mmCIF file of all heavy atoms in Angstrom:
data_model
loop_
_atom_site.group_PDB
_atom_site.id
_atom_site.type_symbol
_atom_site.label_atom_id
_atom_site.label_comp_id
_atom_site.label_asym_id
_atom_site.label_seq_id
_atom_site.Cartn_x
_atom_site.Cartn_y
_atom_site.Cartn_z
ATOM 1 N N PRO A 2 0.744 -23.072 -24.090
ATOM 2 C CA PRO A 2 2.085 -22.474 -24.272
ATOM 3 C C PRO A 2 2.274 -21.196 -23.489
ATOM 4 O O PRO A 2 3.366 -20.603 -23.583
ATOM 5 C CB PRO A 2 2.167 -22.303 -25.774
ATOM 6 C CG PRO A 2 0.731 -21.951 -26.160
ATOM 7 C CD PRO A 2 -0.106 -22.847 -25.270
ATOM 8 N N ASP A 3 1.280 -20.743 -22.712
ATOM 9 C CA ASP A 3 1.388 -19.460 -22.083
ATOM 10 C C ASP A 3 1.864 -19.573 -20.626
ATOM 11 O O ASP A 3 1.551 -20.624 -19.964
ATOM 12 C CB ASP A 3 -0.010 -18.829 -22.051
ATOM 13 C CG ASP A 3 -0.571 -18.566 -23.442
ATOM 14 O OD1 ASP A 3 0.051 -17.796 -24.192
ATOM 15 O OD2 ASP A 3 -1.511 -19.210 -23.826
ATOM 16 N N SER A 4 2.588 -18.557 -20.209
ATOM 17 C CA SER A 4 3.048 -18.538 -18.806
ATOM 18 C C SER A 4 3.170 -17.069 -18.318
ATOM 19 O O SER A 4 3.315 -16.187 -19.099
ATOM 20 C CB SER A 4 4.424 -19.215 -18.658
ATOM 21 O OG SER A 4 5.388 -18.601 -19.414
ATOM 22 N N LEU A 5 3.035 -16.978 -16.977
ATOM 23 C CA LEU A 5 3.254 -15.691 -16.338
ATOM 24 C C LEU A 5 4.505 -15.645 -15.493
ATOM 25 O O LEU A 5 4.816 -16.743 -14.867
ATOM 26 C CB LEU A 5 2.019 -15.341 -15.476
ATOM 27 C CG LEU A 5 0.703 -15.037 -16.202
ATOM 28 C CD1 LEU A 5 -0.369 -14.755 -15.197
ATOM 29 C CD2 LEU A 5 0.798 -13.891 -17.180
ATOM 30 N N GLY A 6 5.266 -14.573 -15.404
ATOM 31 C CA GLY A 6 6.427 -14.502 -14.692
ATOM 32 C C GLY A 6 6.521 -13.376 -13.741
ATOM 33 O O GLY A 6 5.966 -12.335 -13.994
ATOM 34 N N LEU A 7 7.159 -13.597 -12.582
ATOM 35 C CA LEU A 7 7.418 -12.470 -11.641
ATOM 36 C C LEU A 7 8.925 -12.499 -11.267
ATOM 37 O O LEU A 7 9.424 -13.596 -10.896
ATOM 38 C CB LEU A 7 6.582 -12.644 -10.410
ATOM 39 C CG LEU A 7 6.921 -11.688 -9.183
ATOM 40 C CD1 LEU A 7 6.575 -10.277 -9.610
ATOM 41 C CD2 LEU A 7 6.154 -12.142 -7.977
ATOM 42 N N ARG A 8 9.532 -11.367 -11.340
ATOM 43 C CA ARG A 8 11.012 -11.331 -11.029
ATOM 44 C C ARG A 8 11.229 -10.241 -10.057
ATOM 45 O O ARG A 8 10.701 -9.108 -10.093
ATOM 46 C CB ARG A 8 11.819 -11.081 -12.305
ATOM 47 C CG ARG A 8 13.337 -10.980 -12.055
ATOM 48 C CD ARG A 8 14.000 -10.994 -13.394
ATOM 49 N NE ARG A 8 13.822 -9.739 -14.190
ATOM 50 C CZ ARG A 8 14.693 -8.759 -14.143
ATOM 51 N NH1 ARG A 8 15.869 -8.768 -13.461
ATOM 52 N NH2 ARG A 8 14.423 -7.652 -14.849
ATOM 53 N N VAL A 9 12.024 -10.557 -9.045
ATOM 54 C CA VAL A 9 12.531 -9.485 -8.021
ATOM 55 C C VAL A 9 14.035 -9.473 -8.147
ATOM 56 O O VAL A 9 14.695 -10.497 -8.359
ATOM 57 C CB VAL A 9 12.105 -9.857 -6.615
ATOM 58 C CG1 VAL A 9 10.582 -9.796 -6.508
ATOM 59 C CG2 VAL A 9 12.637 -11.152 -6.177
ATOM 60 N N PHE A 10 14.596 -8.237 -8.052
ATOM 61 C CA PHE A 10 16.044 -8.143 -8.175
ATOM 62 C C PHE A 10 16.532 -6.961 -7.380
ATOM 63 O O PHE A 10 15.806 -5.998 -7.071
ATOM 64 C CB PHE A 10 16.358 -7.857 -9.661
ATOM 65 C CG PHE A 10 15.688 -6.712 -10.346
ATOM 66 C CD1 PHE A 10 16.236 -5.481 -10.311
ATOM 67 C CD2 PHE A 10 14.430 -6.888 -10.943
ATOM 68 C CE1 PHE A 10 15.513 -4.358 -10.859
ATOM 69 C CE2 PHE A 10 13.760 -5.824 -11.581
ATOM 70 C CZ PHE A 10 14.321 -4.605 -11.493
ATOM 71 N N ALA A 11 17.807 -6.963 -7.050
ATOM 72 C CA ALA A 11 18.434 -5.931 -6.280
ATOM 73 C C ALA A 11 19.922 -5.991 -6.556
ATOM 74 O O ALA A 11 20.521 -7.045 -6.710
ATOM 75 C CB ALA A 11 18.144 -6.094 -4.821
ATOM 76 N N ALA A 12 20.535 -4.786 -6.704
ATOM 77 C CA ALA A 12 21.929 -4.699 -6.954
ATOM 78 C C ALA A 12 22.457 -3.366 -6.506
ATOM 79 O O ALA A 12 21.711 -2.386 -6.366
ATOM 80 C CB ALA A 12 22.257 -4.933 -8.452
ATOM 81 N N ARG A 13 23.770 -3.227 -6.315
ATOM 82 C CA ARG A 13 24.398 -2.016 -6.103
ATOM 83 C C ARG A 13 25.536 -1.783 -7.108
ATOM 84 O O ARG A 13 26.252 -2.733 -7.419
ATOM 85 C CB ARG A 13 25.033 -2.027 -4.660
ATOM 86 C CG ARG A 13 25.851 -0.714 -4.376
ATOM 87 C CD ARG A 13 25.906 -0.475 -2.900
ATOM 88 N NE ARG A 13 24.653 -0.146 -2.295
ATOM 89 C CZ ARG A 13 24.452 0.074 -1.005
ATOM 90 N NH1 ARG A 13 25.429 0.017 -0.098
ATOM 91 N NH2 ARG A 13 23.218 0.343 -0.566
ATOM 92 N N SER A 14 25.456 -0.653 -7.729
ATOM 93 C CA SER A 14 26.385 -0.335 -8.865
ATOM 94 C C SER A 14 27.223 0.855 -8.585
ATOM 95 O O SER A 14 26.767 1.794 -7.869
ATOM 96 C CB SER A 14 25.711 -0.218 -10.190
ATOM 97 O OG SER A 14 24.866 0.906 -10.158
ATOM 98 N N GLU A 15 28.405 0.960 -9.207
ATOM 99 C CA GLU A 15 29.248 2.116 -9.060
ATOM 100 C C GLU A 15 30.011 2.343 -10.459
ATOM 101 O O GLU A 15 30.467 1.401 -10.970
ATOM 102 C CB GLU A 15 30.253 1.996 -7.946
ATOM 103 C CG GLU A 15 31.145 3.184 -7.767
ATOM 104 C CD GLU A 15 32.015 3.143 -6.535
ATOM 105 O OE1 GLU A 15 31.903 2.102 -5.788
ATOM 106 O OE2 GLU A 15 32.839 4.074 -6.308
ATOM 107 N N VAL A 16 30.010 3.565 -10.863
ATOM 108 C CA VAL A 16 30.634 3.905 -12.175
ATOM 109 C C VAL A 16 31.894 4.738 -11.927
ATOM 110 O O VAL A 16 31.885 5.634 -11.113
ATOM 111 C CB VAL A 16 29.634 4.725 -13.003
ATOM 112 C CG1 VAL A 16 30.407 5.255 -14.289
ATOM 113 C CG2 VAL A 16 28.513 3.793 -13.498
ATOM 114 N N GLY A 17 32.968 4.436 -12.655
ATOM 115 C CA GLY A 17 34.199 5.186 -12.616
ATOM 116 C C GLY A 17 34.758 5.454 -13.985
ATOM 117 O O GLY A 17 34.965 4.541 -14.740
ATOM 118 N N PHE A 18 34.797 6.759 -14.369
ATOM 119 C CA PHE A 18 35.227 7.110 -15.700
ATOM 120 C C PHE A 18 36.798 7.369 -15.666
ATOM 121 O O PHE A 18 37.302 7.901 -14.735
ATOM 122 C CB PHE A 18 34.585 8.366 -16.259
ATOM 123 C CG PHE A 18 33.229 8.117 -16.835
ATOM 124 C CD1 PHE A 18 32.115 7.943 -16.055
ATOM 125 C CD2 PHE A 18 33.123 7.962 -18.248
ATOM 126 C CE1 PHE A 18 30.894 7.720 -16.662
ATOM 127 C CE2 PHE A 18 31.891 7.700 -18.816
ATOM 128 C CZ PHE A 18 30.770 7.526 -18.056
ATOM 129 N N ASP A 19 37.497 7.014 -16.788
ATOM 130 C CA ASP A 19 38.923 7.194 -16.865
ATOM 131 C C ASP A 19 39.305 8.700 -16.739
ATOM 132 O O ASP A 19 40.294 9.029 -16.055
ATOM 133 C CB ASP A 19 39.468 6.641 -18.167
ATOM 134 C CG ASP A 19 39.301 5.164 -18.260
ATOM 135 O OD1 ASP A 19 38.911 4.504 -17.299
ATOM 136 O OD2 ASP A 19 39.454 4.602 -19.444
ATOM 137 N N LEU A 20 38.614 9.591 -17.364
ATOM 138 C CA LEU A 20 38.948 10.933 -17.479
ATOM 139 C C LEU A 20 37.920 11.908 -16.759
ATOM 140 O O LEU A 20 37.768 13.013 -17.039
ATOM 141 C CB LEU A 20 39.022 11.440 -18.902
ATOM 142 C CG LEU A 20 39.992 10.666 -19.839
ATOM 143 C CD1 LEU A 20 39.984 11.081 -21.225
ATOM 144 C CD2 LEU A 20 41.429 10.763 -19.230
ATOM 145 N N GLY A 21 37.276 11.274 -15.761
ATOM 146 C CA GLY A 21 36.276 12.094 -15.008
ATOM 147 C C GLY A 21 34.934 12.040 -15.626
ATOM 148 O O GLY A 21 34.767 11.672 -16.830
ATOM 149 N N LEU A 22 33.887 12.376 -14.938
ATOM 150 C CA LEU A 22 32.469 12.293 -15.347
ATOM 151 C C LEU A 22 32.287 13.231 -16.517
ATOM 152 O O LEU A 22 32.606 14.420 -16.487
ATOM 153 C CB LEU A 22 31.637 12.648 -14.216
ATOM 154 C CG LEU A 22 30.228 12.058 -14.257
ATOM 155 C CD1 LEU A 22 30.250 10.523 -14.116
ATOM 156 C CD2 LEU A 22 29.415 12.655 -13.087
ATOM 157 N N PRO A 23 31.694 12.754 -17.664
ATOM 158 C CA PRO A 23 31.400 13.620 -18.783
ATOM 159 C C PRO A 23 30.432 14.802 -18.388
ATOM 160 O O PRO A 23 29.534 14.524 -17.448
ATOM 161 C CB PRO A 23 30.685 12.684 -19.810
ATOM 162 C CG PRO A 23 31.165 11.401 -19.391
ATOM 163 C CD PRO A 23 31.363 11.338 -17.913
ATOM 164 N N PRO A 24 30.508 15.976 -18.987
ATOM 165 C CA PRO A 24 29.595 17.079 -18.577
ATOM 166 C C PRO A 24 28.138 16.699 -18.593
ATOM 167 O O PRO A 24 27.387 17.134 -17.828
ATOM 168 C CB PRO A 24 29.932 18.165 -19.647
ATOM 169 C CG PRO A 24 31.330 17.821 -20.021
ATOM 170 C CD PRO A 24 31.431 16.294 -19.977
ATOM 171 N N ALA A 25 27.666 15.907 -19.612
ATOM 172 C CA ALA A 25 26.270 15.518 -19.693
ATOM 173 C C ALA A 25 25.823 14.716 -18.472
ATOM 174 O O ALA A 25 24.642 14.614 -18.239
ATOM 175 C CB ALA A 25 26.056 14.798 -20.971
ATOM 176 N N LEU A 26 26.694 14.076 -17.766
ATOM 177 C CA LEU A 26 26.371 13.246 -16.590
ATOM 178 C C LEU A 26 26.686 13.876 -15.307
ATOM 179 O O LEU A 26 26.723 13.290 -14.250
ATOM 180 C CB LEU A 26 27.185 11.868 -16.697
ATOM 181 C CG LEU A 26 26.848 10.973 -17.938
ATOM 182 C CD1 LEU A 26 27.757 9.709 -17.870
ATOM 183 C CD2 LEU A 26 25.390 10.658 -18.073
ATOM 184 N N ALA A 27 26.926 15.236 -15.364
ATOM 185 C CA ALA A 27 27.371 15.940 -14.138
ATOM 186 C C ALA A 27 26.355 15.757 -12.953
ATOM 187 O O ALA A 27 26.772 15.815 -11.836
ATOM 188 C CB ALA A 27 27.584 17.412 -14.390
ATOM 189 N N GLY A 28 25.095 15.597 -13.313
ATOM 190 C CA GLY A 28 24.050 15.487 -12.221
ATOM 191 C C GLY A 28 23.836 14.080 -11.778
ATOM 192 O O GLY A 28 23.067 13.897 -10.793
ATOM 193 N N GLU A 29 24.461 13.106 -12.307
ATOM 194 C CA GLU A 29 24.329 11.704 -11.935
ATOM 195 C C GLU A 29 25.220 11.230 -10.826
ATOM 196 O O GLU A 29 26.335 11.638 -10.804
ATOM 197 C CB GLU A 29 24.465 10.770 -13.199
ATOM 198 C CG GLU A 29 23.294 10.926 -14.194
ATOM 199 C CD GLU A 29 23.206 9.700 -15.057
ATOM 200 O OE1 GLU A 29 23.739 8.636 -14.728
ATOM 201 O OE2 GLU A 29 22.474 9.773 -16.109
ATOM 202 N N ALA A 30 24.705 10.397 -9.966
ATOM 203 C CA ALA A 30 25.501 9.893 -8.861
ATOM 204 C C ALA A 30 26.345 8.727 -9.421
ATOM 205 O O ALA A 30 25.964 7.974 -10.313
ATOM 206 C CB ALA A 30 24.622 9.382 -7.724
ATOM 207 N N ARG A 31 27.558 8.621 -8.867
ATOM 208 C CA ARG A 31 28.456 7.511 -9.280
ATOM 209 C C ARG A 31 27.950 6.175 -8.773
ATOM 210 O O ARG A 31 28.187 5.139 -9.332
ATOM 211 C CB ARG A 31 29.906 7.759 -8.782
ATOM 212 C CG ARG A 31 30.582 8.979 -9.359
ATOM 213 C CD ARG A 31 31.911 9.217 -8.844
ATOM 214 N NE ARG A 31 32.805 8.036 -9.030
ATOM 215 C CZ ARG A 31 33.258 7.274 -8.105
ATOM 216 N NH1 ARG A 31 32.900 7.503 -6.825
ATOM 217 N NH2 ARG A 31 34.039 6.219 -8.320
ATOM 218 N N LYS A 32 27.231 6.125 -7.640
ATOM 219 C CA LYS A 32 26.682 4.925 -7.074
ATOM 220 C C LYS A 32 25.144 4.873 -7.253
ATOM 221 O O LYS A 32 24.552 5.944 -7.177
ATOM 222 C CB LYS A 32 27.051 4.806 -5.579
ATOM 223 C CG LYS A 32 28.570 4.745 -5.303
ATOM 224 C CD LYS A 32 28.885 4.565 -3.881
ATOM 225 C CE LYS A 32 30.362 4.438 -3.682
ATOM 226 N NZ LYS A 32 30.691 4.271 -2.184
ATOM 227 N N ALA A 33 24.634 3.756 -7.385
ATOM 228 C CA ALA A 33 23.168 3.571 -7.514
ATOM 229 C C ALA A 33 22.705 2.255 -6.957
ATOM 230 O O ALA A 33 23.404 1.212 -7.005
ATOM 231 C CB ALA A 33 22.760 3.688 -9.047
ATOM 232 N N ASP A 34 21.503 2.309 -6.301
ATOM 233 C CA ASP A 34 20.864 1.131 -5.875
ATOM 234 C C ASP A 34 19.847 0.689 -6.928
ATOM 235 O O ASP A 34 18.920 1.475 -7.234
ATOM 236 C CB ASP A 34 20.234 1.299 -4.463
ATOM 237 C CG ASP A 34 21.234 1.564 -3.399
ATOM 238 O OD1 ASP A 34 22.249 0.868 -3.420
ATOM 239 O OD2 ASP A 34 20.980 2.350 -2.486
ATOM 240 N N ILE A 35 19.973 -0.467 -7.429
ATOM 241 C CA ILE A 35 19.084 -0.936 -8.496
ATOM 242 C C ILE A 35 18.211 -2.049 -7.914
ATOM 243 O O ILE A 35 18.688 -3.138 -7.484
ATOM 244 C CB ILE A 35 19.915 -1.602 -9.632
ATOM 245 C CG1 ILE A 35 20.882 -0.486 -10.224
ATOM 246 C CG2 ILE A 35 19.000 -2.045 -10.751
ATOM 247 C CD1 ILE A 35 21.927 -1.110 -11.177
ATOM 248 N N ALA A 36 16.928 -1.744 -7.786
ATOM 249 C CA ALA A 36 16.041 -2.705 -7.181
ATOM 250 C C ALA A 36 14.644 -2.563 -7.841
ATOM 251 O O ALA A 36 14.252 -1.419 -8.199
ATOM 252 C CB ALA A 36 15.917 -2.483 -5.672
ATOM 253 N N GLY A 37 13.817 -3.636 -7.930
ATOM 254 C CA GLY A 37 12.591 -3.506 -8.459
ATOM 255 C C GLY A 37 11.901 -4.851 -8.750
ATOM 256 O O GLY A 37 12.311 -5.866 -8.256
ATOM 257 N N LEU A 38 10.823 -4.783 -9.528
ATOM 258 C CA LEU A 38 10.018 -5.929 -9.872
ATOM 259 C C LEU A 38 9.848 -5.990 -11.425
ATOM 260 O O LEU A 38 9.779 -4.972 -12.120
ATOM 261 C CB LEU A 38 8.639 -5.819 -9.286
ATOM 262 C CG LEU A 38 8.492 -5.859 -7.829
ATOM 263 C CD1 LEU A 38 7.056 -5.527 -7.343
ATOM 264 C CD2 LEU A 38 8.903 -7.255 -7.222
ATOM 265 N N GLY A 39 9.756 -7.206 -11.948
ATOM 266 C CA GLY A 39 9.440 -7.365 -13.338
ATOM 267 C C GLY A 39 8.262 -8.314 -13.418
ATOM 268 O O GLY A 39 8.167 -9.434 -12.790
ATOM 269 N N LEU A 40 7.346 -8.005 -14.260
ATOM 270 C CA LEU A 40 6.173 -8.871 -14.605
ATOM 271 C C LEU A 40 6.192 -9.178 -16.113
ATOM 272 O O LEU A 40 6.507 -8.355 -16.940
ATOM 273 C CB LEU A 40 4.838 -8.141 -14.297
ATOM 274 C CG LEU A 40 4.648 -7.680 -12.852
ATOM 275 C CD1 LEU A 40 3.386 -6.813 -12.753
ATOM 276 C CD2 LEU A 40 4.522 -8.896 -11.958
ATOM 277 N N SER A 41 5.879 -10.421 -16.477
ATOM 278 C CA SER A 41 5.968 -10.797 -17.890
ATOM 279 C C SER A 41 4.921 -11.843 -18.235
ATOM 280 O O SER A 41 4.409 -12.606 -17.313
ATOM 281 C CB SER A 41 7.344 -11.395 -18.205
ATOM 282 O OG SER A 41 7.618 -12.528 -17.508
ATOM 283 N N TRP A 42 4.522 -11.764 -19.494
ATOM 284 C CA TRP A 42 3.710 -12.870 -20.088
ATOM 285 C C TRP A 42 4.428 -13.391 -21.290
ATOM 286 O O TRP A 42 4.988 -12.681 -22.116
ATOM 287 C CB TRP A 42 2.380 -12.277 -20.566
ATOM 288 C CG TRP A 42 1.571 -13.254 -21.400
ATOM 289 C CD1 TRP A 42 0.888 -14.390 -21.024
ATOM 290 C CD2 TRP A 42 1.455 -13.135 -22.858
ATOM 291 N NE1 TRP A 42 0.380 -14.963 -22.153
ATOM 292 C CE2 TRP A 42 0.641 -14.236 -23.258
ATOM 293 C CE3 TRP A 42 1.857 -12.252 -23.816
ATOM 294 C CZ2 TRP A 42 0.307 -14.491 -24.674
ATOM 295 C CZ3 TRP A 42 1.528 -12.431 -25.146
ATOM 296 C CH2 TRP A 42 0.743 -13.496 -25.516
ATOM 297 N N THR A 43 4.514 -14.781 -21.407
ATOM 298 C CA THR A 43 5.305 -15.384 -22.425
ATOM 299 C C THR A 43 4.376 -16.503 -23.103
ATOM 300 O O THR A 43 3.610 -17.219 -22.462
ATOM 301 C CB THR A 43 6.537 -16.112 -21.896
ATOM 302 O OG1 THR A 43 7.402 -15.144 -21.318
ATOM 303 C CG2 THR A 43 7.260 -16.853 -22.977
ATOM 304 N N ARG A 44 4.406 -16.524 -24.463
ATOM 305 C CA ARG A 44 3.787 -17.559 -25.270
ATOM 306 C C ARG A 44 4.928 -18.243 -26.092
ATOM 307 O O ARG A 44 5.507 -17.564 -26.958
ATOM 308 C CB ARG A 44 2.667 -17.045 -26.078
ATOM 309 C CG ARG A 44 1.943 -18.036 -26.895
ATOM 310 C CD ARG A 44 0.782 -17.488 -27.684
ATOM 311 N NE ARG A 44 0.012 -18.464 -28.409
ATOM 312 C CZ ARG A 44 -0.945 -19.202 -27.930
ATOM 313 N NH1 ARG A 44 -1.287 -19.078 -26.629
ATOM 314 N NH2 ARG A 44 -1.544 -20.145 -28.636
ATOM 315 N N ASP A 45 5.127 -19.523 -25.881
ATOM 316 C CA ASP A 45 6.226 -20.178 -26.520
ATOM 317 C C ASP A 45 5.736 -21.458 -27.243
ATOM 318 O O ASP A 45 5.389 -22.396 -26.522
ATOM 319 C CB ASP A 45 7.345 -20.538 -25.475
ATOM 320 C CG ASP A 45 8.658 -20.987 -26.143
ATOM 321 O OD1 ASP A 45 8.699 -21.213 -27.351
ATOM 322 O OD2 ASP A 45 9.598 -21.142 -25.381
ATOM 323 N N THR A 46 5.765 -21.436 -28.581
ATOM 324 C CA THR A 46 5.266 -22.654 -29.312
ATOM 325 C C THR A 46 6.408 -23.239 -30.157
ATOM 326 O O THR A 46 6.197 -23.957 -31.142
ATOM 327 C CB THR A 46 4.133 -22.290 -30.210
ATOM 328 O OG1 THR A 46 4.548 -21.252 -31.131
ATOM 329 C CG2 THR A 46 2.963 -21.768 -29.423
ATOM 330 N N ARG A 47 7.716 -22.847 -29.896
ATOM 331 C CA ARG A 47 8.784 -23.324 -30.676
ATOM 332 C C ARG A 47 8.943 -24.944 -30.512
ATOM 333 O O ARG A 47 8.597 -25.447 -29.466
ATOM 334 C CB ARG A 47 10.136 -22.711 -30.251
ATOM 335 C CG ARG A 47 10.221 -21.109 -30.416
ATOM 336 C CD ARG A 47 11.460 -20.628 -29.740
ATOM 337 N NE ARG A 47 11.417 -20.743 -28.348
ATOM 338 C CZ ARG A 47 12.381 -20.522 -27.516
ATOM 339 N NH1 ARG A 47 13.592 -20.174 -28.010
ATOM 340 N NH2 ARG A 47 12.220 -20.695 -26.214
ATOM 341 N N ASP A 48 9.549 -25.499 -31.580
ATOM 342 C CA ASP A 48 9.713 -26.980 -31.461
ATOM 343 C C ASP A 48 10.968 -27.317 -30.770
ATOM 344 O O ASP A 48 11.193 -28.509 -30.522
ATOM 345 C CB ASP A 48 9.601 -27.560 -32.836
ATOM 346 C CG ASP A 48 10.628 -26.954 -33.839
ATOM 347 O OD1 ASP A 48 11.321 -26.019 -33.496
ATOM 348 O OD2 ASP A 48 10.695 -27.493 -34.978
ATOM 349 N N ASP A 49 11.897 -26.379 -30.505
ATOM 350 C CA ASP A 49 13.129 -26.646 -29.886
ATOM 351 C C ASP A 49 13.712 -25.350 -29.290
ATOM 352 O O ASP A 49 13.472 -24.263 -29.817
ATOM 353 C CB ASP A 49 14.134 -27.223 -30.926
ATOM 354 C CG ASP A 49 15.415 -27.750 -30.253
ATOM 355 O OD1 ASP A 49 15.400 -28.831 -29.645
ATOM 356 O OD2 ASP A 49 16.416 -27.049 -30.248
#
């Protein structure tokens, strides 16, 4: 029931606030490149 997984992903995101960026997020960029790798181990013994 065991398996190993590898995931690759990439995306571009952009955030826009209705009333401007909140003070707590003042240092964050509105645009971000989201990219990376995911590794996983799964054990699945369900009957359905």
Side-chain angles (χ1 to χ4, degrees):
D3 302 293
S4 62
L5 295 177
L7 171 66
R8 182 169 68 98
V9 296
F10 56 89
R13 177 157 292 179
S14 67
E15 183 174 357
V16 169
F18 278 83
D19 295 347
L20 302 177
L22 207 63
L26 299 179
E29 290 204 12
R31 293 178 60 247
K32 297 182 179 180
D34 292 323
I35 302 169
L38 295 172
L40 300 173
S41 63
W42 167 75
T43 298
R44 183 176 181 85
D45 192 351
T46 61
R47 295 172 297 170
D48 56 354
D49 188 78

